[in-house]
Amino acid sequence: MYTQLDRGTREIRLAHLEPSLNLEDQPSCSLHIVSLDENPSYEAFSYAWGDPTITVPIQLWSSPQTIYGAQWPVTTNLEAALRYLRHRSEVRIIWVDAICIDQSNIEERNHQVPLMKTIYSNAVAVQVWLGSPSERSDGAMEILKQIFQGVPFIEIKVGDSLLQDDDLWSVIELMKRPWWSRTWVRQELIL
Protein backbone atom coordinates (compact mmCIF):
# COMPACT_ATOMS: atom_id res chain seq x y z
CA MET A 1 0.00 0.00 0.00
CA TYR A 2 2.79 2.43 0.87
CA THR A 3 5.36 3.84 -1.54
CA GLN A 4 8.70 4.52 0.15
CA LEU A 5 9.35 8.11 1.22
CA ASP A 6 12.53 10.05 0.39
CA ARG A 7 13.98 11.04 3.75
CA GLY A 8 16.41 13.53 2.21
CA THR A 9 13.58 15.80 1.08
CA ARG A 10 11.44 15.44 4.22
CA GLU A 11 8.66 13.68 2.36
CA ILE A 12 5.36 12.88 4.01
CA ARG A 13 2.10 11.48 2.77
CA LEU A 14 -1.09 13.50 2.68
CA ALA A 15 -4.49 11.90 2.40
CA HIS A 16 -7.05 13.39 0.06
CA LEU A 17 -10.33 12.69 1.84
CA GLU A 18 -13.13 12.46 -0.70
CA PRO A 19 -16.29 14.51 -0.06
CA SER A 20 -19.68 13.00 0.67
CA LEU A 21 -23.17 14.34 1.21
CA ASN A 22 -24.09 11.21 3.14
CA LEU A 23 -22.68 10.60 6.63
CA GLU A 24 -23.23 6.85 6.11
CA ASP A 25 -20.93 6.63 3.06
CA GLN A 26 -17.67 4.80 3.71
CA PRO A 27 -14.75 7.25 3.97
CA SER A 28 -12.45 7.20 0.96
CA CYS A 29 -8.88 8.59 0.70
CA SER A 30 -5.97 8.56 -1.72
CA LEU A 31 -2.37 9.04 -0.60
CA HIS A 32 -0.13 11.71 -2.12
CA ILE A 33 3.58 12.10 -1.38
CA VAL A 34 4.74 15.69 -0.82
CA SER A 35 7.84 17.35 0.60
CA LEU A 36 7.54 19.56 3.67
CA ASP A 37 10.22 21.70 2.00
CA GLU A 38 7.61 22.73 -0.60
CA ASN A 39 5.15 24.01 2.06
CA PRO A 40 2.11 21.96 1.03
CA SER A 41 -1.32 23.12 2.15
CA TYR A 42 -3.09 20.63 4.43
CA GLU A 43 -4.87 20.20 7.74
CA ALA A 44 -3.65 17.90 10.50
CA PHE A 45 -6.04 15.70 12.48
CA SER A 46 -5.64 15.17 16.19
CA TYR A 47 -7.69 12.38 17.74
CA ALA A 48 -7.50 9.47 20.17
CA TRP A 49 -6.86 6.21 18.34
CA GLY A 50 -9.10 4.12 20.57
CA ASP A 51 -8.69 0.36 20.80
CA PRO A 52 -6.29 -0.61 17.97
CA THR A 53 -7.74 -4.13 17.85
CA ILE A 54 -11.22 -2.89 16.91
CA THR A 55 -11.14 -1.65 13.33
CA VAL A 56 -13.44 -0.89 10.44
CA PRO A 57 -12.49 -0.46 6.78
CA ILE A 58 -12.14 2.71 4.78
CA GLN A 59 -11.41 2.86 1.06
CA LEU A 60 -7.72 3.76 0.54
CA TRP A 61 -5.77 4.28 -2.66
CA SER A 62 -1.98 4.13 -2.42
CA SER A 63 -1.67 6.90 -5.02
CA PRO A 64 -3.89 8.95 -7.32
CA GLN A 65 -2.89 6.72 -10.25
CA THR A 66 -4.09 3.50 -8.59
CA ILE A 67 -7.16 2.06 -10.27
CA TYR A 68 -8.36 -0.05 -7.35
CA GLY A 69 -8.42 1.00 -3.74
CA ALA A 70 -8.08 -1.31 -0.79
CA GLN A 71 -10.35 -1.84 2.17
CA TRP A 72 -7.94 -0.46 4.78
CA PRO A 73 -8.52 -1.05 8.52
CA VAL A 74 -8.59 1.99 10.81
CA THR A 75 -9.81 2.35 14.37
CA THR A 76 -13.50 3.04 14.82
CA ASN A 77 -12.71 6.47 16.27
CA LEU A 78 -10.67 7.52 13.22
CA GLU A 79 -13.32 6.19 10.86
CA ALA A 80 -15.96 8.26 12.67
CA ALA A 81 -13.72 11.34 12.51
CA LEU A 82 -13.28 10.91 8.75
CA ARG A 83 -17.05 10.59 8.29
CA TYR A 84 -17.85 13.73 10.25
CA LEU A 85 -14.90 15.91 9.20
CA ARG A 86 -14.99 15.35 5.45
CA HIS A 87 -16.41 18.14 3.35
CA ARG A 88 -19.70 17.80 1.55
CA SER A 89 -18.51 18.87 -1.90
CA GLU A 90 -14.72 19.19 -2.03
CA VAL A 91 -11.68 17.10 -1.25
CA ARG A 92 -10.14 17.75 2.16
CA ILE A 93 -6.36 17.40 2.25
CA ILE A 94 -5.29 16.01 5.60
CA TRP A 95 -2.37 14.56 7.50
CA VAL A 96 -3.44 11.87 9.93
CA ASP A 97 -0.81 9.62 11.48
CA ALA A 98 -2.59 6.27 11.23
CA ILE A 99 -3.08 6.64 7.47
CA CYS A 100 -0.17 8.80 6.34
CA ILE A 101 2.55 6.86 8.17
CA ASP A 102 3.11 3.19 7.38
CA GLN A 103 2.50 1.96 10.92
CA SER A 104 3.93 -1.49 10.11
CA ASN A 105 7.30 0.01 9.10
CA ILE A 106 9.31 0.78 12.25
CA GLU A 107 12.06 2.54 10.27
CA GLU A 108 9.52 4.88 8.65
CA ARG A 109 7.76 5.56 11.95
CA ASN A 110 11.09 6.43 13.57
CA HIS A 111 11.79 8.86 10.73
CA GLN A 112 8.32 10.44 10.66
CA VAL A 113 7.81 11.00 14.40
CA PRO A 114 10.53 13.72 14.61
CA LEU A 115 8.81 15.48 11.68
CA MET A 116 5.54 15.78 13.62
CA LYS A 117 6.56 19.14 15.09
CA THR A 118 6.93 20.52 11.58
CA ILE A 119 3.82 18.68 10.35
CA TYR A 120 1.61 20.23 13.04
CA SER A 121 3.29 23.66 12.90
CA ASN A 122 2.96 23.93 9.11
CA ALA A 123 -0.64 22.75 8.88
CA VAL A 124 -3.11 25.48 7.88
CA ALA A 125 -5.35 24.14 10.68
CA VAL A 126 -5.44 21.31 13.18
CA GLN A 127 -8.80 19.64 13.54
CA VAL A 128 -9.37 18.04 16.93
CA TRP A 129 -11.75 15.10 17.05
CA LEU A 130 -13.05 14.57 20.57
CA GLY A 131 -15.35 11.73 19.53
CA SER A 132 -18.76 11.16 18.02
CA PRO A 133 -21.56 13.51 19.03
CA SER A 134 -23.58 12.49 22.05
CA GLU A 135 -26.89 13.68 23.41
CA ARG A 136 -25.20 16.45 25.41
CA SER A 137 -21.99 17.19 23.51
CA ASP A 138 -23.47 19.94 21.31
CA GLY A 139 -24.64 21.81 24.42
CA ALA A 140 -21.20 21.39 26.00
CA MET A 141 -19.51 22.80 22.91
CA GLU A 142 -21.90 25.77 22.91
CA ILE A 143 -21.08 26.49 26.57
CA LEU A 144 -17.33 26.34 25.89
CA LYS A 145 -17.68 28.56 22.84
CA GLN A 146 -19.42 31.24 24.91
CA ILE A 147 -16.85 30.98 27.70
CA PHE A 148 -14.01 31.50 25.19
CA GLN A 149 -15.90 34.44 23.66
CA GLY A 150 -15.91 36.11 27.09
CA VAL A 151 -19.64 35.83 27.74
CA PRO A 152 -20.21 36.37 31.49
CA PHE A 153 -20.97 33.06 33.19
CA ILE A 154 -24.42 34.19 34.38
CA GLU A 155 -25.36 35.13 30.78
CA ILE A 156 -24.37 31.84 29.11
CA LYS A 157 -27.27 30.18 27.32
CA VAL A 158 -27.86 26.61 26.24
CA GLY A 159 -30.45 26.80 23.52
CA ASP A 160 -32.93 29.43 24.67
CA SER A 161 -32.36 28.88 28.41
CA LEU A 162 -29.79 30.27 30.79
CA LEU A 163 -27.09 27.88 31.96
CA GLN A 164 -28.26 25.37 34.58
CA ASP A 165 -26.15 23.26 36.95
CA ASP A 166 -27.04 20.14 34.95
CA ASP A 167 -25.62 21.74 31.79
CA LEU A 168 -22.18 21.90 33.41
CA TRP A 169 -22.14 18.10 33.65
CA SER A 170 -22.20 17.97 29.86
CA VAL A 171 -18.95 19.97 29.82
CA ILE A 172 -17.41 17.63 32.40
CA GLU A 173 -18.46 14.62 30.29
CA LEU A 174 -16.83 16.20 27.25
CA MET A 175 -13.61 16.85 29.18
CA LYS A 176 -13.47 13.19 30.25
CA ARG A 177 -13.23 11.97 26.67
CA PRO A 178 -10.05 10.03 25.80
CA TRP A 179 -8.47 12.77 23.65
CA TRP A 180 -7.65 14.87 26.72
CA SER A 181 -5.53 12.12 28.28
CA ARG A 182 -3.34 11.44 25.22
CA THR A 183 0.42 11.91 25.64
CA TRP A 184 0.70 14.10 22.53
CA VAL A 185 -2.06 16.57 23.50
CA ARG A 186 0.23 19.13 25.11
CA GLN A 187 2.69 19.06 22.22
CA GLU A 188 -0.07 19.37 19.61
CA LEU A 189 -1.69 22.26 21.48
CA ILE A 190 1.62 24.12 21.74
CA LEU A 191 2.40 23.57 18.05
Side-chain angles (χ1 to χ4, degrees):
M1 177 57 72
Y2 290 100
T3 305
Q4 188 163 341
L5 298 174
D6 180 354
R7 295 190 187 121
T9 59
R10 298 188 324 148
E11 284 186 341
I12 63 170
R13 292 182 196 90
L14 294 177
H16 287 216
L17 177 59
E18 294 298 318
S20 178
L21 295 172
N22 185 353
L23 184 63
E24 301 307 314
D25 288 346
Q26 180 185 47
S28 177
C29 299
S30 61
L31 296 174
H32 300 252
I33 295 176
V34 299
S35 172
L36 287 170
D37 297 332
E38 296 173 0
N39 297 317
S41 180
Y42 62 93
E43 297 173 88
F45 276 14
S46 176
Y47 65 103
W49 275 39
D51 186 338
T53 65
I54 303 173
T55 62
V56 291
I58 63 166
Q59 189 74 25
L60 187 64
W61 280 267
S62 61
S63 73
Q65 295 80 29
T66 307
I67 296 173
Y68 301 105
Q71 293 293 305
W72 195 254
V74 297
T75 63
T76 55
N77 199 40
L78 175 55
E79 192 262 356
L82 295 173
R83 283 181 189 273
Y84 278 93
L85 296 174
R86 64 186 162 191
H87 292 306
R88 295 173 59 84
S89 62
E90 63 187 54
V91 169
R92 187 170 212 165
I93 302 173
I94 61 171
W95 182 89
V96 58
D97 57 357
I99 296 173
C100 296
I101 297 174
D102 180 355
Q103 298 297 323
S104 67
N105 183 332
I106 305 274
E107 191 176 310
E108 179 174 307
R109 282 190 353 221
N110 289 341
H111 178 262
Q112 292 285 291
V113 168
L115 293 177
M116 288 176 69
K117 176 181 179 185
T118 304
I119 291 168
Y120 277 93
S121 296
N122 290 1
V124 296
V126 176
Q127 302 298 328
V128 174
W129 176 252
L130 296 177
S132 294
S134 68
E135 184 179 322
R136 296 164 42 115
S137 63
D138 287 346
M141 293 300 288
E142 184 57 34
I143 292 166
L144 291 172
K145 180 180 175 184
Q146 292 175 67
I147 289 170
F148 290 118
Q149 290 174 338
V151 174
F153 206 72
I154 61 171
E155 295 177 19
I156 291 176
K157 289 189 174 184
V158 179
D160 294 330
S161 304
L162 287 174
L163 183 67
Q164 303 294 313
D165 289 344
D166 190 46
D167 295 323
L168 294 175
W169 285 108
S170 66
V171 175
I172 291 169
E173 288 170 13
L174 189 69
M175 295 301 182
K176 287 184 176 181
R177 289 189 177 198
W179 183 84
W180 299 101
S181 60
R182 290 176 53 244
T183 304
W184 291 94
V185 167
R186 287 185 187 95
Q187 178 180 341
E188 290 171 6
L189 285 172
I190 290 167
L191 296 173

